Amino acid sequence: MGRSGTFMAADAVELATVSRGGFIESRHIGSAAVVDGEGEPIALIGDTSTPVFPRSTMKFLQTLAALDAGAPLDGEHLAIACASHSGTPLHVALVRDILGRAGLDETALQCPPAWPADRAARDALIRSGEPNAPIYMECSGKHAAFLAACRAAGWPTDSYLDPEHPLQRRVAETVGRFGGGRIDHTSVDGCGAPVHTMPLVALARSMARFATAQESSPFAIFRHAAQIRDAVIAHPTAMSGAGRPDAVLIEQLGIMAKFGAEGVYVAATREGVSVALKYLDGTGRGAPLVALQLLVAAGAVAPQQAEQVLPHLGLEVRGGGRVVGHVNVGAGVPVELPAR
């Protein structure tokens, strides 16, 4: 760990490489934590104890806090609350529905305006002459869930992003409780919401708790975690977007998967084997592949199942309109992990 409390390259391992014509063109280094269903480490690769910003992988925890505060969400509405969506008509309709049920409209959203990430939706919006808007921003579902929670709890909606707001205090408590560690630093995420640091091993542990949560638990926080997990797995397109790597892993393998900005990625199987990783360069290129390989190495996903989804993870490198290389797993990623 560096003097600033952040990752140092010397502490990292090679997570992925990029080849072109048989020549390795780029190498991505970082760290990864793999834990079992009890949250116990299976493998700690690189530096997994230094705090990182989980970025959008924290949406599961933020949505959990919103549910605990009383937000009336289920099904697709829970999925869009956890989403980094692509702004399709489906996504926008779900966000508007959450707001409408809370007696609000999209003017209440305090995330920045954006164009849809989905090309067809973006082109249609431009042709219509309509401007970009907060509702198309990939985090608008989370913001709608925040607002719904505020309405349910009787909290103010105009200050819902203030770190001292009751909802944001609850988010911070949830991050600490589910990850099992203290928050060392808080800042502002790209969408304007507070974002809190946690070590990769704590992030992986929190994913294991989502994966193994029971709807029959005597504790509401675990019942809500089970609701979120089931909604995400049942509605991968709402949670991500058709054909996106996260949606592919969710739909085809039943894995609770999510990317975050600056090279963060999480994935968890139903039995609770969970991965949290971060690329030091922040690209995240090939992160779903690395997470999948770690789950295979841990014996949580069959190699044959992994092979079937690889063509859908966007791993091709192109030149002149044809495939000339691939993103590959790096030398620092184990082929096999210790038996559990």
Side-chain angles (χ1 to χ4, degrees):
M1 187 178 74
R3 290 186 296 275
S4 62
T6 56
F7 280 119
M8 296 290 287
D11 301 321
V13 302
E14 183 183 270
L15 294 181
T17 63
V18 182
S19 67
R20 181 179 298 273
F23 178 83
I24 294 180
E25 184 174 26
S26 298
R27 301 178 190 271
H28 299 295
I29 65 171
S31 299
V34 187
V35 303
D36 63 19
E38 299 296 321
E40 294 299 319
I42 298 175
L44 302 177
I45 302 165
D47 179 2
T48 62
S49 61
T50 295
V52 304
F53 284 122
R55 302 302 296 271
S56 280
T57 67
M58 202 175 82
K59 284 177 179 171
F60 298 127
L61 294 164
Q62 291 165 317
T63 301
L64 181 58
L67 268 187
D68 281 346
L73 304 173
D74 58 18
E76 285 183 297
H77 297 100
L78 268 182
I80 195 72
C82 298
S84 294
H85 66 74
S86 51
T88 67
L90 166 68
H91 297 132
V92 172
L94 287 170
V95 175
R96 284 181 174 144
D97 198 29
I98 293 173
L99 293 169
R101 293 182 183 192
L104 299 166
D105 61 28
E106 59 192 89
T107 62
L109 294 170
Q110 293 182 24
C111 49
W115 294 101
D118 179 79
R119 182 173 180 176
R122 182 173 64 252
D123 290 350
L125 188 64
I126 292 171
R127 284 195 298 268
S128 73
E130 294 293 320
N132 60 5
I135 199 163
Y136 302 112
M137 201 265 172
E138 63 180 0
C139 302
S140 63
K142 176 182 74 177
H143 283 249
F146 282 165
L147 288 162
C150 291
R151 275 300 175 94
W155 295 330
T157 57
D158 59 349
S159 58
Y160 74 92
L161 296 183
D162 188 324
E164 296 305 315
H165 189 282
L167 175 62
Q168 297 305 334
R169 289 203 301 269
R170 179 162 294 200
V171 169
E173 292 167 1
T174 303
V175 169
R177 178 177 177 184
F178 238 58
R182 76 176 192 272
I183 293 170
D184 292 312
H185 196 77
T186 297
S187 190
V188 181
D189 211 334
C191 69
V195 61
H196 312 290
T197 57
M198 58 196 307
L200 285 174
V201 67
L203 183 56
R205 188 180 299 121
S206 72
M207 292 303 299
R209 287 175 174 162
F210 275 105
T212 59
Q214 300 294 319
E215 293 181 357
S216 58
S217 172
F219 302 102
I221 193 169
F222 291 108
R223 295 196 301 271
H224 291 154
Q227 281 183 259
I228 291 170
R229 177 202 62 225
D230 292 346
V232 166
I233 292 174
H235 304 285
T237 300
M239 214 290 291
S240 179
R244 284 181 157 188
D246 294 355
V248 169
L249 293 182
I250 295 168
E251 185 172 14
Q252 296 194 27
L253 299 179
I255 291 172
M256 191 178 180
K258 182 81 182 70
F259 80 90
E262 295 301 323
V264 181
Y265 203 85
V266 296
T269 66
R270 282 301 295 260
E271 68 170 354
V273 178
S274 302
V275 174
L277 63 87
K278 178 173 171 60
Y279 284 41
L280 265 64
D281 61 13
T283 64
R285 183 165 49 170
L289 169 66
V290 176
L292 185 58
Q293 173 57 38
L294 287 168
L295 292 175
V296 170
V301 172
Q304 299 90 335
Q305 290 179 302
E307 287 289 337
Q308 291 175 358
V309 303
L310 292 183
H312 309 289
L313 297 183
L315 303 174
E316 298 87 2
V317 173
R318 294 186 173 272
R322 61 188 178 89
V323 176
V324 296
H326 290 85
V327 180
N328 301 296
V329 173
V333 179
V335 175
E336 188 176 357
L337 295 174
R340 289 173 287 129

